[in-house]
Amino acid sequence: MLNKSIRIIAILLTALATCIIVPRFSRMLFSTHSNYKDVVYSEVLNDFIISEYEYKNINGKISGITIYKDSKGNRYTREQADSLCPLNNASQLTYDGKFPDSICGKNISAKDADDAIFHMNIAGRYNELFYGLSELKDQKSYLSNKYEPKDLFRIKENGIEFIVSSTNTIDEKKSKLFNSELEQLGFTAPAITWWSPADRTDFEKIGYFVLDSKGELFRLSMNDGRPDILRLNRPDEKKILNINFSNRPEFLAIIITEDGNSYVMDRNFNYQALPLPSLRRGAFLQGNLMHLTFTTHEKEATAYYILDKNYKLIKQLTIGDKKVASLQETIGSYLFPVKISQNANYGIQFHFSNPFHFIWLNIVLALATFFIKKRNGYPINDAFAIIDIIVVLVLGIFGMAGVFAIPQRKSKQI
C-alpha cells in the first residue's frame, strides 16, 4: 500500500513538472508575431500618432515593418511622425537639424523640451509586501556625510516606537516625544501603512505620509531631532487607496481613492481632481513640456487621455485590443485549461479557457489511457488503476504523462 501511495505522489509530481515544461516547448514551437503598438499625442496635429507593426507575406516569407498613422488613418513616414511630435523627439530632431523654431506659437528650446520628458508608473493599490519598519530621515540629514541607519520606527497599537539599531532597543524618550505630538493631532494607532518619496531630497524634507487606523492622513517628519508632523486633508474626504510620489517640481504625488478617482497633489499639499476613469488598476503616465498622457489598460482595450498642464482633458483615444486567437492559443485552450499570470496592477490572476475544450479532451485521454492499459495487460480493476484514470480525467495530458512515466506492473504491483 505504501509503495502504491508513493507511486501516486510520483505521478502528481511528474504531472506538475510536465505542466511547467510543456507550455514552454509550446511557445518555442509556435512563432508568434509581436502585437507592438505605441500611441503618442501630436501637439502639431492635435491628434494621435499610432505606430504598429504591419506584416507582409513576400514569396512565402513574412516580414514586418513599423507604420505610422493618425486616428483618421492618414499614414506618415518615421521622419514625418518625429516632426509631428517635436516635444517627444527633441533629441532626434536636433540631431537631424530639424527641431522647429517654435511649437504651437511658443519659442521652445530643444533642451527644455528634452528635460521636461518623464515617465511614471501609477499603482492603484499600495504594495501588499509591507515590512512595517522604516527609517525616518531628519530634515537636516544632508548636513552629515554619514549613511548609517539611525531612526528606525514602527507604528503599532501603542503608538510609534523608535528602534536604536545598534542595540535593538526602543528609544523611549524619542518615542514618547513623537507620540505626544501625534496624539495632539488626533492620530489613532496603529498605522495602516505609510509612503515616502523616492527622491532623496523630498524624502528628507517631507518624510512619510501615514494613514492611521481610521484612514486619516498625516505627514510624519523630523527636524533637528524633534517631531515635525502635520495632519493633512484627504481628497474630498475619501478613503485613500494609494499614494504615488513623483520626482517632478510640478506636483508632489498622484493619489488614488477607494472609488478609483485620482487626484494630483501639489507641493503645498493641495489637491486637484483628475478627469480620468477609475485608476484602481493603475496607469502609466508620460509627460512633456505641454501635456500629460495617461494610459490605462483593460482586458480588451487601451485608453489614452491627454491632459494639459492645468490638468484639463484635451483629447482621448481608446483602441480595442481584442485579438483573433492564434494557432498556439487555440491548441493551448485544449491542452492548458488554466493560465496563471501576475503583475503589479492586477495581482495574481487565473485565466480559464473554454471548459468544453479541455473537458472533452480529458475524457478522450482518459478513455485512451483505459484502452492502452487494457491492451498492454495492465491491471484495470483495482482502486489504484481507477485512480490513474481519474488523474488523467482531471489533469488531462499532464496527468497522462505522469501515469505512463510511472507505470504499474502487469502482474504483482510494486
Side-chain angles (χ1 to χ4, degrees):
M1 177 66 71
L2 177 62
N3 288 339
K4 293 179 179 179
S5 300
I6 292 174
R7 176 179 174 270
I8 293 174
I9 294 173
I11 288 173
L12 296 176
L13 290 175
T14 303
L16 176 62
T18 306
C19 78
I20 295 173
I21 295 171
V22 170
R24 293 185 178 181
F25 274 105
S26 174
R27 288 193 293 270
M28 291 171 59
L29 290 174
F30 294 95
S31 60
T32 57
H33 293 155
S34 171
N35 292 316
Y36 163 81
K37 185 177 290 185
D38 190 31
V39 177
V40 180
Y41 178 69
S42 167
E43 54 276 2
V44 176
L45 290 178
N46 189 28
D47 197 1
F48 294 90
I49 300 293
I50 304 163
S51 57
E52 59 185 336
Y53 285 140
E54 184 177 83
Y55 295 94
K56 293 183 178 181
N57 190 331
I58 302 175
N59 298 325
K61 184 178 181 180
I62 298 177
S63 60
I65 60 171
T66 303
I67 62 169
Y68 302 86
K69 60 184 179 180
D70 60 27
S71 63
K72 302 177 183 64
N74 301 312
R75 291 204 175 196
Y76 304 93
T77 65
R78 184 187 67 81
E79 292 76 12
Q80 289 172 329
D82 286 348
S83 296
L84 291 171
C85 306
L87 292 177
N88 286 349
N89 298 288
S91 296
Q92 183 64 46
L93 291 173
T94 302
Y95 178 80
D96 295 335
K98 296 180 180 180
F99 189 81
D101 296 330
S102 64
I103 302 173
C104 300
K106 298 180 180 179
N107 294 325
I108 296 173
S109 70
K111 184 179 185 307
D112 288 342
D114 200 45
D115 290 345
I117 293 176
F118 71 94
H119 305 84
M120 177 179 174
N121 283 309
I122 301 172
R125 58 183 180 180
Y126 60 83
N127 191 349
E128 295 179 359
L129 185 62
F130 180 63
Y131 296 101
L133 186 65
S134 302
E135 180 183 10
L136 185 61
K137 286 284 187 182
D138 196 288
Q139 292 179 18
K140 293 184 172 57
S141 61
Y142 65 89
L143 298 175
S144 173
N145 290 323
K146 293 182 179 180
Y147 296 97
E148 57 183 4
K150 192 175 181 182
D151 294 296
L152 299 174
F153 74 93
R154 61 193 177 200
I155 306 178
K156 303 174 68 177
E157 287 77 6
N158 59 337
I160 190 169
E161 292 180 342
F162 283 90
I163 312 298
V164 181
S165 58
S166 58
T167 60
N168 197 28
T169 58
I170 296 175
D171 188 333
E172 299 287 355
K173 182 178 179 180
K174 182 170 287 187
S175 301
K176 183 177 180 180
L177 182 65
F178 274 75
N179 274 320
S180 175
E181 185 77 14
L182 285 167
E183 289 172 6
Q184 290 181 27
L185 293 172
F187 183 90
T188 306
I192 298 174
T193 189
W194 52 83
W195 301 266
S196 64
D199 181 79
R200 179 179 172 85
T201 301
D202 282 343
F203 181 33
E204 292 172 341
K205 181 179 178 181
I206 295 170
Y208 293 87
F209 281 6
V210 183
L211 284 183
D212 73 357
S213 62
K214 294 183 178 179
E216 297 297 331
L217 182 64
F218 296 80
R219 195 285 304 268
L220 174 65
S221 183
M222 179 167 58
N223 191 345
D224 202 17
R226 299 190 59 81
D228 184 359
I229 305 171
L230 293 175
R231 179 167 182 160
L232 302 175
N233 294 324
R234 290 174 292 145
D236 294 334
E237 295 305 313
K238 295 178 181 178
K239 181 180 178 182
I240 293 174
L241 197 60
N242 200 15
I243 297 177
N244 298 270
F245 282 99
S246 81
N247 61 354
R248 303 297 303 171
E250 307 97 295
F251 64 95
L252 177 61
I254 292 177
I255 297 179
I256 314 298
T257 55
E258 61 180 345
D259 55 4
N261 286 350
S262 52
Y263 298 80
V264 62
M265 173 189 274
D266 66 22
R267 292 186 172 272
N268 293 317
F269 308 138
N270 299 313
Y271 300 104
Q272 182 174 337
L274 296 174
L276 300 172
S278 173
L279 295 189
R280 287 180 63 88
R281 290 183 172 178
F284 181 67
L285 169 60
Q286 296 173 282
N288 61 29
L289 202 58
M290 287 187 178
H291 56 259
L292 306 170
T293 302
F294 288 85
T295 305
T296 63
H297 297 280
E298 296 299 333
K299 290 185 177 180
E300 295 186 353
T302 300
Y304 302 86
Y305 301 88
I306 309 301
L307 278 59
D308 63 20
K309 285 307 181 78
N310 294 318
Y311 310 110
K312 304 297 182 184
L313 182 66
I314 57 178
K315 202 83 171 177
Q316 71 180 78
L317 175 70
T318 300
I319 297 179
D321 293 334
K322 191 172 183 179
K323 305 175 184 66
V324 177
S326 64
L327 178 60
Q328 177 191 10
E329 292 168 334
T330 301
I331 295 175
S333 69
Y334 287 88
L335 298 181
F336 318 130
V338 181
K339 178 183 177 183
I340 303 174
S341 64
Q342 180 183 16
N343 59 55
N345 294 332
Y346 295 89
I348 297 176
Q349 286 190 309
F350 296 86
H351 307 274
F352 295 90
S353 60
N354 188 331
F356 293 104
H357 286 185
F358 61 83
I359 287 174
W360 283 114
L361 179 63
N362 287 9
I363 291 174
V364 171
L365 293 176
L367 291 173
T369 301
F370 174 81
F371 286 113
I372 290 172
K373 281 179 167 290
K374 185 176 180 180
R375 181 176 179 180
N376 289 289
Y378 288 101
I380 57 173
N381 56 355
D382 66 355
F384 285 93
I386 295 173
I387 289 175
D388 282 0
I389 305 299
I390 293 174
V391 167
V392 177
L393 189 62
V394 174
L395 301 181
I397 191 172
F398 307 125
M400 192 174 185
V403 166
F404 286 101
I406 316 292
Q408 296 173 272
R409 286 185 178 179
K410 293 183 179 180
S411 54
K412 184 180 178 180
Q413 295 200 23
I414 58 172

